[in-house]
Amino acid sequence: MSDTNNNIDNSDSNDISNSGTFVAPRPILEMYQKISFSSFKLWASILSDISVKDYSDKDQYIPLSSIWNALDARLSHKRLEVLLEELQTTLIKKHEFLPQTQELKIASFSLLGPTEITTNNASDVTSLKYRLVSELLQILKTESGKEKFIIETRTFTSLKGAGGNYAKNLLLLCTPYIPVGETRYYTLNELREYMNLSNSFLDKK
């Protein structure tokens, strides 16, 4: 593969409208803004894949078409490696208050466990094997019968660039509040942090 950003032909059998959905349990919904837009789309594809495999803790092969459709591009193995490494090195945290001892427990874990990419002689990616970390799987499993949100992957595929990334963050921010029609009150600093704009629009002294 000579081009790392070949656009997908939406006329083929793997049309983006068939790229599925991913489940967003409330406890991890607000974690999605921590990664780049492309890595987020890749992670959403992986979560969609693992959800139909009963959140297995075994190694899984994901159909490459679902990734290419979500990203709206076929990536070289080097570009795919960059996105996978971002997922593997980005930590998310789970806060849990323990009422018995009046303590706060903070657990941290990576978004993605071990991965394995195979390529052919032309450096085209031919398969991707992955495994999610047990801590993330536990959240997905325990929340499977509770409040969760189904989001169509194509919603995010249509968003592009920096503006698309901010739109993605706003969509994820507002999704839990759709039933009540309005979000909770956010301070300006909270919104900046959620949008990954903590160092932007700062008041000049």
Side-chain angles (χ1 to χ4, degrees), residues 152-170:
E152 292 188 1
T153 309
R154 63 179 177 178
T155 301
F156 298 101
T157 306
S158 64
L159 304 175
K160 301 183 185 300
N165 191 38
Y166 299 142
K168 175 263 293 184
N169 289 344
L170 283 175

Side-chain angles (χ1 to χ4, degrees), residues 94-107:
K94 177 186 176 184
H95 296 75
E96 180 181 0
F97 180 70
L98 305 177
Q100 301 89 341
T101 58
Q102 297 293 300
E103 294 177 317
L104 180 65
K105 181 173 68 173
I106 304 174

Side-chain angles (χ1 to χ4, degrees), residues 95-154:
H95 296 75
E96 180 181 0
F97 180 70
L98 305 177
Q100 301 89 341
T101 58
Q102 297 293 300
E103 294 177 317
L104 180 65
K105 181 173 68 173
I106 304 174
S108 62
F109 46 90
S110 62
L111 298 175
L112 183 63
T115 61
E116 181 179 287
I117 300 173
T118 57
T119 63
N120 59 19
N121 292 335
S123 294
D124 294 327
V125 178
T126 56
S127 71
L128 170 60
K129 182 169 68 174
Y130 73 91
R131 187 168 73 244
L132 291 181
V133 298
S134 59
E135 292 83 358
L136 178 57
L137 283 171
Q138 185 61 32
I139 292 178
L140 294 170
K141 288 178 180 178
T142 57
E143 295 295 324
S144 61
K146 300 180 181 179
E147 184 178 23
K148 58 186 178 182
F149 307 94
I150 309 299
I151 302 177
E152 292 188 1
T153 309
R154 63 179 177 178

